[in-house]
Amino acid sequence: MKPEYKPLKELNDKTLKHKTKVKVIHKSSPQQSPNKPRYQRLLLKDDEVHILNAGIHNERSIFDSDIEKYAEALERNGEYELSNAMISAAPPQHASRPNEYSIIINARAQISPLITDATALGPQYQAFATIPRDAFNTKLIDILGVVIYVTAPKAIYTSQGIEDSVREIYLTDHSYDRQFTVSLWNDVLRTHEETLNSWPDSFNVVGVLALTGRSYKGFTLSSIMSTRIITNPEGEKADALKAWYVR
């Protein structure tokens, strides 16, 4: 008999015991709030929400000491059975609609993976030549490339006067005969600042995960909350790219 899962839309702060089936669609890098513990945000979806409205996702956060504990237990693209996590009202700055709730993982929560194939959860690297040049394509893209150049940070102002920070990385790989541009924005840029500052010293082979197409000075791949940088990627594709660069 299949387990009965409670839909995400039915969870609220009165829910005591529950079991849900969720998929992690976004996973941010750990962030540091001023005068507060570190936190990490994820976006989850379930089958019912996905079918009814693909734009509705419940948010959940992992706080401070739990970040390392759940770093590998909850991966992007992973599907999990989640039981008895704490439910609380979503902070207004993170809520996408009124009366939205967050799932907070703590000691009482139970997490069981429904996908055990590690290759399905790991990076799905695409060669630069195969990336669709479509700024409206919502599929997240993982890339592997040789860093050619990193620009200095600069401020971009929106039409509403809001300041965004951006830094561009120019990369290449064996499939592409010119440089490819990746734009890192705001929190992702600040999280990886030390790493980016070290790159101009050498031509590093790096992985950049969870990018999306964007129209910025032409087509570029841009960071979102889930974007992560892997400074020493492993695997057959990484080894092949390193060998290609050495040659």
Side-chain angles (χ1 to χ4, degrees):
M1 179 182 295
K2 292 184 178 180
E4 291 199 14
Y5 295 119
K6 196 173 186 68
L8 290 177
K9 67 177 183 177
E10 294 183 8
L11 299 182
N12 57 54
D13 54 0
K14 303 293 192 298
T15 305
L16 298 178
K17 292 186 177 182
H18 62 85
K19 182 180 291 185
T20 60
K21 177 186 174 184
V22 298
K23 181 175 182 177
V24 179
I25 57 171
H26 289 295
K27 180 179 179 180
S28 75
S29 298
Q31 303 292 322
Q32 181 69 56
S33 295
N35 304 319
K36 293 182 179 180
R38 292 184 307 150
Y39 68 94
Q40 187 173 25
R41 293 181 58 212
L42 291 87
L43 295 181
L44 309 178
K45 71 177 181 181
D46 63 10
D47 293 337
E48 182 170 336
V49 170
H50 178 64
I51 292 170
L52 294 177
N53 189 333
I56 297 177
H57 307 117
N58 272 39
E59 176 201 77
R60 55 143 294 187
S61 302
I62 299 177
F63 288 93
D64 206 19
S65 60
D66 290 327
I67 290 177
E68 282 71 28
K69 181 178 179 180
Y70 295 106
E72 297 181 1
L74 291 159
E75 294 286 356
R76 178 172 67 92
N77 295 330
E79 294 183 4
Y80 303 91
E81 183 179 278
L82 182 62
S83 305
N84 301 330
M86 180 187 299
I87 313 297
S88 65
Q93 68 271 26
H94 295 157
S96 59
R97 62 188 188 278
N99 301 318
E100 187 172 37
Y101 292 90
S102 292
I103 301 176
I104 308 297
I105 296 298
N106 56 18
R108 78 179 190 184
Q110 299 176 7
I111 303 170
S112 300
L114 299 175
I115 296 178
T116 57
D117 181 6
T119 60
L121 303 179
Q124 305 296 314
Y125 293 124
Q126 284 189 238
F128 292 165
T130 67
I131 296 172
R133 292 347 186 232
D134 181 3
F136 299 99
N137 182 8
T138 58
K139 180 183 178 182
L140 298 184
I141 295 171
D142 301 335
I143 63 169
L144 192 67
V146 180
V147 178
I148 303 300
Y149 182 70
V150 181
T151 67
K154 58 184 174 182
I156 304 293
Y157 292 90
T158 68
S159 57
Q160 292 78 31
I162 299 172
E163 180 180 337
D164 288 325
S165 297
V166 64
R167 198 166 182 177
E168 295 167 340
I169 312 169
Y170 299 105
L171 307 101
T172 190
D173 74 356
H174 63 285
S175 74
Y176 206 59
D177 59 1
R178 52 190 180 277
Q179 63 190 20
F180 197 90
T181 306
V182 170
S183 302
L184 299 182
W185 297 83
N186 301 324
D187 287 345
V188 172
L189 175 59
R190 289 185 284 271
T191 298
H192 297 286
E193 182 177 14
E194 185 175 344
T195 297
L196 294 171
N197 288 339
S198 70
W199 281 357
D201 296 335
S202 61
F203 292 92
N204 303 66
V205 173
V206 302
V208 190
L209 311 185
L211 296 165
T212 187
R214 180 170 178 174
S215 180
Y216 171 68
K217 297 196 303 186
F219 176 81
T220 180
L221 288 179
S222 290
S223 67
I224 57 172
M225 63 169 283
S226 295
T227 299
R228 289 196 299 133
I229 293 175
I230 300 178
T231 56
N232 189 25
E234 300 178 347
E236 292 183 4
K237 289 186 178 181
D239 291 343
L241 184 59
K242 292 173 185 176
W244 170 81
Y245 171 68
V246 170
R247 290 196 301 272

